[in-house]
Amino acid sequence: MGDGFQFIDIILFALIAAFLVLRLRGVLGRRDGFKGRPRDPFAPPAGGQADNENVVALPDRGNPDAVGDAAETEPTDPIEAGLARLRRSDPGFDIEEFLVGARTAFEMIISAFAAGDTEALKPLLSRDVFANFAEEIAKREESGETLETVVTAIRISDIVEARVDGRTARLTVKFVSDQTNLTRDHEGRLIEGDPEATTEVSDFWTFERALKSRDPNWTLVATGTLD
């Protein structure tokens, strides 16, 4: 009887051990010598579409600048690229508003230069440009000559260059205008120009503005012509 009970105990322990092994496999899984690649929690399911309609696909983590299919691209045109950078730095910038101001400044500066009005010129020009204008005015006054300039029409005022260098924006505008320019000597006699004729003049003026400045006005920093 004792040997019979001992045999039954062995079978019972064997059954319990087998049961425990099966339980451990179910909980821990089975390793077969190959450790597979861990599943990417951001990857879509193998079937393609997710079963849960509330799952939203995230953008490609390999391209952090891309947001869906609407990734922003830099314009290829240099002028448009410069204007795009300017708008990012100054969201309130408006091209038409700027060009209206540039045309007004163009006429004011030409008129003030012809009249020799350095006080009117000073706040509109950079230090270097003002020094050049003031020097020309001084030479004219020393010779006793006077200059009369009338802008009869501004035919073209287009932005031909746009740059943002650090915290400074620079815009170059091409002006094509009809002008009457007369030069008289100290006695008022006409020595150059025709009062009945207009001349088409092409100018390239560069305006500059500090982007962080509270002053919204642009300053003339360079001038040039086609001559």
Side-chain angles (χ1 to χ4, degrees):
M1 291 290 294
D3 292 338
F5 282 112
Q6 186 177 3
F7 180 73
I8 294 174
D9 289 340
I10 293 173
I11 295 176
L12 179 60
F13 287 128
L15 292 174
I16 293 174
F19 174 76
L20 291 176
V21 170
L22 292 174
R23 292 285 294 178
L24 287 173
R25 281 189 174 184
V27 173
L28 301 178
R30 183 178 60 181
R31 298 184 61 178
D32 55 6
F34 173 76
K35 188 174 181 180
R37 184 178 180 180
R39 177 183 175 273
D40 185 352
F42 296 100
Q49 298 293 329
D51 295 333
N52 189 346
E53 294 181 355
N54 293 323
V55 174
V56 178
L58 297 179
D60 183 4
R61 289 173 293 158
N63 183 6
D65 295 329
V67 180
D69 296 329
E72 184 179 355
T73 58
E74 189 78 6
T76 56
D77 180 77
I79 298 175
E80 290 300 323
L83 291 174
R85 287 192 291 271
L86 174 54
R87 292 189 191 96
R88 288 196 294 268
S89 300
D90 182 9
F93 173 75
D94 181 87
I95 293 179
E96 291 304 321
E97 183 178 331
F98 166 79
L99 288 174
V100 169
R103 287 191 290 268
T104 301
F106 180 79
E107 294 186 87
M108 289 176 59
I109 291 171
I110 286 182
S111 297
F113 175 73
D117 190 349
T118 55
E119 291 301 317
L121 288 171
K122 197 168 187 177
L124 302 174
L125 311 177
S126 68
R127 182 178 301 178
D128 291 342
V129 174
F130 176 76
N132 292 335
F133 276 40
E135 182 179 356
E136 291 298 319
I137 290 172
K139 290 180 180 179
R140 197 169 64 218
E141 291 177 346
E142 288 177 4
S143 64
E145 296 178 352
T146 57
L147 176 64
E148 299 174 14
T149 300
V150 177
V151 179
T152 57
I154 299 178
R155 299 189 178 277
I156 297 174
S157 56
D158 292 335
I159 296 175
V160 295
E161 185 179 25
R163 295 173 53 192
V164 175
D165 297 324
R167 298 182 179 181
T168 302
R170 293 185 179 88
L171 297 177
T172 299
V173 180
K174 177 183 179 181
F175 294 102
V176 178
S177 61
D178 292 336
Q179 301 181 16
T180 299
N181 294 283
L182 308 175
T183 302
R184 300 181 185 274
D185 64 13
H186 65 284
E187 294 183 353
R189 293 176 298 202
L190 184 66
I191 58 177
E192 187 177 350
D194 183 353
E196 303 299 326
T198 60
T199 303
E200 183 180 277
V201 181
S202 296
D203 292 281
F204 295 86
W205 286 16
T206 300
F207 297 89
E208 180 179 286
R209 177 177 175 269
L211 294 171
K212 300 300 181 181
S213 173
R214 294 183 179 181
D215 185 357
N217 296 319
W218 294 73
T219 302
L220 180 64
V221 297
T223 62
T225 64
L226 291 178
D227 298 334

